[in-house]
Amino acid sequence: MSLEIEREGVNLIVRVYGDLDLHTVDNLRMEIEDRLDQEVGIKNMILNLEDVDFIDSSGLGFIIGRYKRISNHGGELKLINVKNSINKVFELSGILKIVDVFPSEREALKAV
Amino acid sequence: MSLEIEREGVNLIVRVYGDLDLHTVDNLRMEIEDRLDQEVGIKNMILNLEDVDFIDSSGLGFIIGRYKRISNHGGELKLINVKNSINKVFELSGILKIVDVFPSEREALKAV
Amino acid sequence: MSSNSAKLEIKSLTDNIGLARVTVASFAAQLDFTLSEIEEIKVAVSEAVSNAIIHAYHNDEGVIEIGMAINNHRLIITIKDYGQGISDIEQARQPSYTTADRMGLGLVFIDSFMNDLEVDSKLQEGTKLKMVKIPEKSQKKAT
Amino acid sequence: MSSNSAKLEIKSLTDNIGLARVTVASFAAQLDFTLSEIEEIKVAVSEAVSNAIIHAYHNDEGVIEIGMAINNHRLIITIKDYGQGISDIEQARQPSYTTADRMGLGLVFIDSFMNDLEVDSKLQEGTKLKMVKIPEKSQKKAT
Ligand SMILES: Nc1ncnc2c1ncn2[C@@H]1O[C@H](COP(=O)(O)OP(=O)(O)O)[C@@H](O)[C@H]1O
Ligand SMILES: Nc1ncnc2c1ncn2[C@@H]1O[C@H](COP(=O)(O)OP(=O)(O)O)[C@@H](O)[C@H]1O
């Protein structure tokens, strides 16, 4: 499980590698929150899940948490590339009603 | 675990997919022996292990068994593409002293 | 594979959630499940083991027992803890119900991803989940 | 991960050899092993479980217990059967020695792929293998 964070203008691009479950979300949450605290002027977050093979409700909770913080500050959260294997969890949870999914970071950046 | 068998002149090309262990070798052995019994005029065997991710001493026993049958009839056994992950077992066993390994089926066919 | 069984015992550490998923998925592969069904089984196991760690043992030390069985071409998974127990099982199974500021979706996911879910629990004694998954391919054959 | 343990119980069916390998490999991944070290661990587990199935239980029904532990940054694996037992352990560990027309390399592979192997056996009672694997990276750190 690892994380890559990149800033592009007012957008924070977060790339997650590995599984999103109770074991991994704590570290991810801290790393992202640290970065949000350090950087000035971040508005939106693009969460790239291209390399996430597994997600459960703890992983969903992590995404919802990021969504809340970002939207509380008037920003938008976009998801990238939800794999087939993790799609069902997204559909069942209803999260797709509040968060948009894009096929690539470029298209998500255009949309924010 | 599955098997693909193709004849090319006096050579039988056998492609193994999956793990080579006690669980899988019995079926493989039977399929290959059946084919050898059916076909007339087979001399050499080319065993393609490109898609074998795991092998243990039961898998080695399977290869040695094929080697014995083929060489008893004056033919040669050639191995293809031993992956890094399974290489150590081959080295440790000394099997490479009696069986040659080639990078591709074409080169093995040239050598028989 | 017409009948088989195995048991995995783990400590209630989040480090072991992935281990539980991988083990059950590997056992399940003895039946004719699709990749997408295997994913569903993994989610169910992940939810049940996470619940035992958080709700049953509150991140303290404890043992989680994971039973796997193949019976009559069905996969039966049991996940058992010796922790706090659930006071109202009906309520616990409702969407969004949570006592730990979580999503409240764990039992809902298990319910929708598996063909059957039974929850057995006694306060202070523990909780046992029994879930059944039948390969879609064999369901079609049966009809 | 400084300390953890788990236990897998399987039936003596060849179908379960892969399950044992995958489970131990997933547990081992909690230490800092290289991919090539994980492969070596898988071979060792595969040999020990195969031996229990063939030599201890002669393909009859029996139980195999696989203990996994992380202790002091070492992986300790125990594989236990309640089968026939080994009469001469020294001899059994020799290359090419086999009582079943096999390669006679199983115990030799375990010996060379793991940092330590202890064999404990009683005739008619069973056999227990204890093997230890230490990540090469942490060995370097220690010196
Ligand atoms: N193994 C368990 N032991 C004790 N309580 C549990 C257990 N599993 C579930 N619960 C209770 O049921 C509630 C709902 O569980 P669940 O649907 O998985 O949602 P969540 O884990 O997000 O709270 C939990 O908040 C908890 O109160
Ligand atoms: N778990 C076991 N129970 C009884 N006998 C065993 C066991 N493991 C090994 N042996 C004995 O030791 C011999 C050598 O084992 P091994 O080196 O693994 O080679 P192989 O399995 O190819 O015979 C076996 O042939 C068998 O007689």
Side-chain angles (χ1 to χ4, degrees):
Chain A
M1 165 53 58
S2 71
L3 197 64
E4 213 177 86
I5 304 182
E6 200 179 290
R7 182 173 183 160
E8 187 144 340
V10 296
N11 308 295
L12 201 66
I13 302 176
V14 176
R15 302 186 191 100
V16 182
Y17 304 89
D19 295 345
L20 271 179
D21 66 8
L22 184 63
H23 184 57
T24 58
V25 292
D26 273 347
N27 280 332
L28 294 180
R29 183 184 297 119
M30 280 193 295
E31 278 191 57
I32 293 176
E33 295 298 305
D34 281 357
R35 187 72 180 248
L36 282 174
D37 292 340
Q38 287 159 21
E39 302 261 349
V40 179
I42 293 290
K43 199 173 163 234
N44 310 304
M45 185 182 299
I46 291 165
L47 198 54
N48 189 337
L49 305 179
E50 213 168 348
D51 290 306
V52 171
D53 295 310
F54 178 84
I55 189 166
D56 61 12
S57 74
S58 303
L60 275 176
F62 158 80
I63 297 177
I64 299 282
R66 287 339 88 209
Y67 167 78
K68 281 187 184 154
R69 165 147 187 185
I70 288 289
S71 54
N72 277 346
H73 292 78
E76 289 183 64
L77 176 76
K78 307 286 182 201
L79 296 186
I80 305 295
N81 270 312
V82 179
K83 273 198 190 177
N84 261 338
S85 62
I86 65 174
N87 224 351
K88 228 170 223 160
V89 165
F90 281 92
E91 280 165 15
L92 212 69
S93 67
I95 193 183
L96 300 176
K97 283 182 207 131
I98 55 169
V99 180
D100 289 333
V101 180
F102 293 85
S104 73
E105 289 179 8
R106 271 182 81 219
E107 293 180 57
L109 282 169
K110 265 193 244 157
V112 288
Chain B
M1 167 50 59
S2 69
L3 198 63
E4 214 177 86
I5 303 181
E6 200 179 288
R7 182 175 182 159
E8 187 144 339
V10 296
N11 309 295
L12 202 67
I13 302 175
V14 177
R15 301 186 190 100
V16 181
Y17 305 89
D19 296 343
L20 270 180
D21 66 9
L22 184 63
H23 184 56
T24 58
V25 292
D26 273 347
N27 280 332
L28 294 180
R29 184 183 298 117
M30 280 192 296
E31 279 192 57
I32 293 175
E33 295 298 305
D34 281 358
R35 187 71 180 248
L36 283 175
D37 291 340
Q38 286 159 24
E39 302 261 349
V40 179
I42 293 290
K43 196 170 164 237
N44 309 304
M45 186 182 296
I46 291 163
L47 198 55
N48 189 337
L49 305 179
E50 212 167 351
D51 290 306
V52 171
D53 295 310
F54 178 83
I55 189 168
D56 60 12
S57 74
S58 304
L60 275 178
F62 158 80
I63 298 177
I64 298 282
R66 287 339 88 210
Y67 167 77
K68 282 187 184 154
R69 167 150 185 182
I70 289 288
S71 53
N72 277 346
H73 291 79
E76 289 183 64
L77 176 76
K78 306 287 182 199
L79 296 184
I80 305 296
N81 270 312
V82 179
K83 273 198 189 176
N84 260 339
S85 61
I86 65 174
N87 224 350
K88 232 175 220 151
V89 165
F90 281 92
E91 281 166 14
L92 212 68
S93 68
I95 193 183
L96 301 175
K97 283 182 208 133
I98 54 170
V99 181
D100 289 333
V101 180
F102 293 85
S104 74
E105 290 179 8
R106 272 181 83 219
E107 294 181 57
L109 282 169
K110 264 192 247 162
V112 288
Chain C
M1 181 48 44
S2 64
S3 130
N4 192 6
S5 66
K7 196 169 125 184
L8 177 70
E9 252 181 67
I10 56 172
K11 291 193 178 182
S12 58
L13 298 168
T14 61
D15 309 75
N16 294 330
I17 301 175
L19 174 67
R21 280 201 299 267
V22 165
T23 302
V24 176
S26 168
F27 184 85
Q30 296 179 3
L31 282 174
D32 198 12
F33 286 115
T34 63
L35 279 184
S36 141
E37 286 172 317
I38 295 279
E39 284 304 321
E40 293 169 358
I41 293 166
K42 278 171 140 179
V43 173
V45 170
S46 205
E47 300 295 352
V49 172
S50 300
N51 279 352
I53 295 171
I54 303 173
H55 304 304
Y57 295 120
H58 300 277
N59 289 304
D60 277 353
E61 251 193 50
V63 167
I64 304 168
E65 291 170 11
I66 299 157
M68 298 152 264
I70 290 171
N71 216 317
N72 208 357
H73 304 285
R74 297 154 170 256
L75 175 72
I76 298 139
I77 305 169
T78 55
I79 299 190
K80 195 170 169 181
D81 66 61
Y82 300 90
Q84 170 178 310
I86 304 174
S87 53
D88 186 340
I89 295 175
E90 276 293 308
Q91 192 179 38
R93 295 179 70 155
Q94 296 304 313
S96 300
Y97 178 80
T98 178
T99 55
D101 190 23
R102 286 169 40 88
M103 301 284 288
L105 286 177
L107 292 171
V108 175
F109 278 0
I110 300 176
D111 218 4
S112 20
F113 285 156
M114 305 298 275
N115 294 88
D116 192 41
L117 167 65
E118 279 172 36
V119 183
D120 216 354
S121 191
K122 265 210 184 100
L123 283 177
Q124 313 314 329
E125 291 190 14
T127 301
K128 182 175 168 182
L129 266 57
K130 182 180 164 192
M131 21 203 192
V132 178
K133 182 91 176 170
I134 310 166
E136 222 181 294
K137 287 177 204 158
S138 74
Q139 283 175 46
K140 276 179 197 149
K141 248 181 266 165
T143 54
Chain D
M1 178 50 45
S2 62
S3 128
N4 191 7
S5 65
K7 196 170 125 185
L8 177 69
E9 251 180 69
I10 55 173
K11 291 192 178 182
S12 58
L13 298 168
T14 61
D15 309 75
N16 294 331
I17 301 175
L19 173 67
R21 279 200 301 266
V22 165
T23 301
V24 175
S26 167
F27 183 85
Q30 296 179 4
L31 282 175
D32 197 12
F33 285 115
T34 62
L35 280 185
S36 141
E37 287 172 318
I38 295 279
E39 284 304 321
E40 293 169 357
I41 294 166
K42 278 171 140 178
V43 173
V45 170
S46 204
E47 300 296 351
V49 172
S50 300
N51 279 352
I53 296 171
I54 302 173
H55 304 303
Y57 295 121
H58 300 277
N59 289 303
D60 276 354
E61 253 194 49
V63 167
I64 304 168
E65 291 169 10
I66 299 156
M68 297 152 264
I70 289 171
N71 215 317
N72 207 358
H73 305 286
R74 295 153 171 258
L75 175 71
I76 297 139
I77 306 169
T78 54
I79 299 189
K80 194 171 170 180
D81 67 61
Y82 300 90
Q84 168 178 309
I86 304 175
S87 53
D88 186 341
I89 294 175
E90 276 293 308
Q91 192 178 38
R93 294 179 72 157
Q94 295 304 313
S96 301
Y97 177 80
T98 177
T99 55
D101 192 22
R102 286 169 39 88
M103 300 285 287
L105 286 177
L107 292 170
V108 175
F109 279 1
I110 301 176
D111 219 4
S112 22
F113 285 157
M114 306 298 275
N115 295 89
D116 192 40
L117 166 65
E118 279 171 36
V119 184
D120 216 352
S121 189
K122 267 212 183 97
L123 282 176
Q124 313 313 328
E125 291 189 14
T127 301
K128 182 174 169 184
L129 266 55
K130 182 179 164 194
M131 22 204 192
V132 178
K133 181 90 174 171
I134 310 166
E136 221 181 296
K137 287 177 205 158
S138 75
Q139 284 176 44
K140 277 179 197 147
K141 247 180 264 161
T143 53

